[in-house]
Amino acid sequence: MKTERRIVIAFMALLLMSGFGQISAKKHWVATWATALQIAETHNNPPVPLAENSIRQIVQTSISGDILRVKLSNEFGKEPVEIRAAEIAIALTSGNSSLIDEGTNTSLTFSGNSSVTIQPGELVTSDPVCLTMTNRQNMAITLHFGACPANIITSHPGSRTTSYIATGHTSDFTDATQTAHWYIINAIEVERKDNARAVVVLGNSITDGRGSTTDVQNRWTDILSRRLLNNSKTGNVAVLNMGLGGNCILQGGLGPTAQTRYPRDLFLQEGVRYIILFEGVNDLGGFGDANAKADRIIEVYKKIIEEAHSRGIKVYGGTVMPFKGNNYYSDNHEAGRNRLNEWIRTSELFDGLVDHAASMASDDDPARMNPAFLFENDWLHPNAAGHRHMGENVDLSLFEK
């Protein structure tokens, strides 16, 4: 028995020395970029048809990788979308041109085929491809369409990044029509062997990037991502922006409500370890009693927290920023904001706090945003400096474990 035991122990040691059984070496997928989807409103539909044409869309990823795959979605479409061919490449800019590093242009396949038809309500994932990209890499996803509807199309309207639509199936986007929207693309994922992980932010237009600079990638989540990558303990943490402009948690607003979209946008992303809940201003600022709305938002947040914790995911509460001076403001709306924020700060249900309300408030009036951070004087959205301030005031230690 002792001899057999020594043999087993020696065999296990050899396995460990060769790399087998090491948890850190297990391959897994992590989303490095993703976006929330909805039906494009009429004024956000493609300015020229996508059918039988090509589109090049630029995104900026977060963490690096050598093996990647791309997700495409027709979730909100009513007709099939035909992709005749697709490629991914390193882009030469963060959006202000369609130029790519031609040597990196890599064809995508789907179950071994260069074409794929995405049925209504369907999400498809490309086969993995080898393509080395660094942290915060600008990537170009090029789609060559067959049949594609002119409206009722799955989209992310607030891309804050220029996309390029060219006539026919082509790689020449010199005279392309430009539009600041994304269509059909949903995520890029990388295969990692370390403990790479992701934080996903559920938000509205502030997280979506209103007030940031088109083609600069300076939303507050971008600032946070760069800080995480530069911190030795969080250098493998991806940031996924699930903000939708005009979005509400409870009802109304633009796009599917947060209480209906959270299972997809939070729990169907690969590698999520942390969630930031940062919504509510569009609910609180609308018609009706804001205190009652705050209570209903709390119930939704409780449900998300419970589901996240059951999956081993930490949840951080993002306080609603001040909006005095905006037409959302009233004594009742401010009372509702304070009610929700007080619960976020003191309930002890969250695993941590992202207190944007405190960091963005005026020194002399906590109900009003710091004037230095105003975008278009609307007293609601931060400008580029405000986005930077928000990203710089998130505690990185929240993401170290």
Side-chain angles (χ1 to χ4, degrees):
M1 289 293 293
K2 290 182 179 179
T3 301
E4 292 177 356
R5 185 180 179 188
R6 284 196 296 268
I7 292 173
V8 170
I9 292 172
F11 180 68
M12 294 297 295
L14 285 171
L15 285 177
L16 289 173
M17 289 174 63
S18 64
F20 289 98
Q22 295 181 12
I23 295 174
S24 61
K26 184 179 180 180
K27 294 179 181 179
H28 63 287
W29 290 100
V30 181
T32 182
W33 170 85
T35 192
L37 297 173
Q38 65 175 86
I39 298 174
E41 301 94 352
T42 300
H43 65 283
N44 289 327
N45 279 327
V48 295
L50 294 179
E52 303 300 336
N53 290 330
S54 302
I55 185 170
R56 177 165 290 167
Q57 303 177 89
I58 312 298
V59 305
Q60 191 173 90
T61 61
S62 48
I63 60 173
S64 60
D66 297 313
I67 299 175
L68 61 86
R69 62 188 186 186
V70 177
K71 289 186 173 180
L72 308 177
S73 176
N74 188 22
E75 178 176 350
F76 297 97
K78 302 297 184 184
E79 303 174 39
V81 171
E82 183 183 7
I83 307 295
R84 297 274 178 81
E87 300 94 39
I88 187 168
I90 293 175
L92 296 185
T93 74
S94 56
N96 58 20
S97 87
S98 63
L99 297 176
I100 62 172
D101 179 346
E102 297 289 349
T104 67
N105 200 29
T106 304
S107 295
L108 296 174
T109 58
F110 304 85
S111 300
N113 300 309
S114 60
S115 63
V116 64
T117 298
I118 314 173
Q119 298 298 329
E122 188 177 30
L123 175 76
V124 300
T125 304
S126 76
D127 302 322
V129 296
C130 295
L131 177 58
T132 298
M133 59 183 187
T134 61
N135 291 337
R136 301 302 303 181
Q137 184 77 69
N138 298 313
M139 302 297 293
I141 303 170
T142 304
L143 304 178
H144 308 283
F145 288 93
C148 183
N151 50 40
I152 312 183
I153 186 168
T154 300
S155 167
H156 183 87
S159 65
R160 270 83 201 179
T161 308
T162 305
S163 298
Y164 302 85
I165 306 174
T167 302
H169 294 175
T170 180
S171 296
D172 182 2
F173 291 86
T174 305
D175 298 317
T177 299
Q178 299 182 16
T179 183
H181 310 299
W182 289 319
Y183 302 103
I184 305 299
I185 58 175
N186 177 231
I188 298 176
E189 298 169 348
V190 290
E191 188 178 68
R192 301 280 296 230
K193 296 181 181 179
D194 58 1
N195 68 334
R197 54 207 186 273
V199 50
V200 58
V201 185
L202 191 73
N204 47 43
S205 59
I206 296 173
T207 294
D208 198 21
R210 182 160 176 78
S212 65
T213 312
T214 298
D215 293 330
V216 175
Q217 315 298 334
N218 59 351
R219 310 164 190 84
W220 75 266
T221 52
D222 297 314
I223 306 304
L224 172 60
S225 172
R226 295 185 182 101
R227 291 181 62 225
L228 289 168
L229 293 169
N230 288 329
N231 178 42
S232 61
K233 294 183 179 180
T234 58
N236 53 9
V237 177
V239 177
L240 310 179
N241 186 323
M242 290 296 165
L244 278 179
N247 197 235
C248 287
I249 296 173
L250 302 173
Q251 62 186 35
L254 301 178
T257 62
Q259 68 174 338
T260 59
R261 70 185 177 96
Y262 82 81
R264 175 199 68 189
D265 289 348
L266 299 182
F267 299 135
L268 293 186
Q269 309 309 314
E270 293 285 352
V272 172
R273 185 82 60 82
Y274 322 97
I275 289 169
I276 299 175
L277 299 179
F278 179 47
E279 281 233 44
V281 68
N282 294 322
D283 299 87
L284 298 172
F287 294 106
D289 178 30
N291 286 298
K293 289 182 181 179
D295 290 340
R296 292 172 61 198
I297 290 170
I298 288 169
E299 292 307 309
V300 174
Y301 276 7
K302 286 179 178 178
K303 188 172 187 293
I304 294 174
I305 292 168
E306 181 180 5
E307 292 184 29
H309 285 170
S310 72
R311 292 170 166 84
I313 299 172
K314 294 182 178 180
V315 186
Y316 305 131
T319 52
V320 177
M321 286 163 40
F323 50 83
K324 186 177 181 180
N326 186 271
N327 60 12
Y328 273 179
Y329 185 83
S330 73
D331 289 343
N332 176 257
H333 293 163
E334 178 65 4
R337 184 179 79 91
N338 289 330
R339 186 185 189 95
L340 177 59
N341 284 350
E342 180 66 14
W343 178 80
I344 291 172
R345 291 178 177 129
T346 64
S347 71
E348 299 185 354
L349 293 180
F350 288 99
D351 301 288
L353 178 66
V354 178
D355 203 348
H356 287 318
S359 68
M360 294 294 285
S362 298
D363 292 336
D364 59 349
D365 187 352
R368 191 184 296 271
M369 187 189 296
N370 186 329
F373 301 140
L374 286 182
F375 175 67
E376 296 183 346
N377 292 319
D378 73 354
W379 297 98
L380 179 64
H381 297 97
N383 57 20
H387 276 276
R388 175 166 293 280
H389 186 77
M390 291 173 67
E392 289 177 345
N393 279 274
V394 178
D395 181 2
L396 298 188
S397 69
L398 295 173
F399 311 101
E400 290 180 355
K401 295 181 180 180

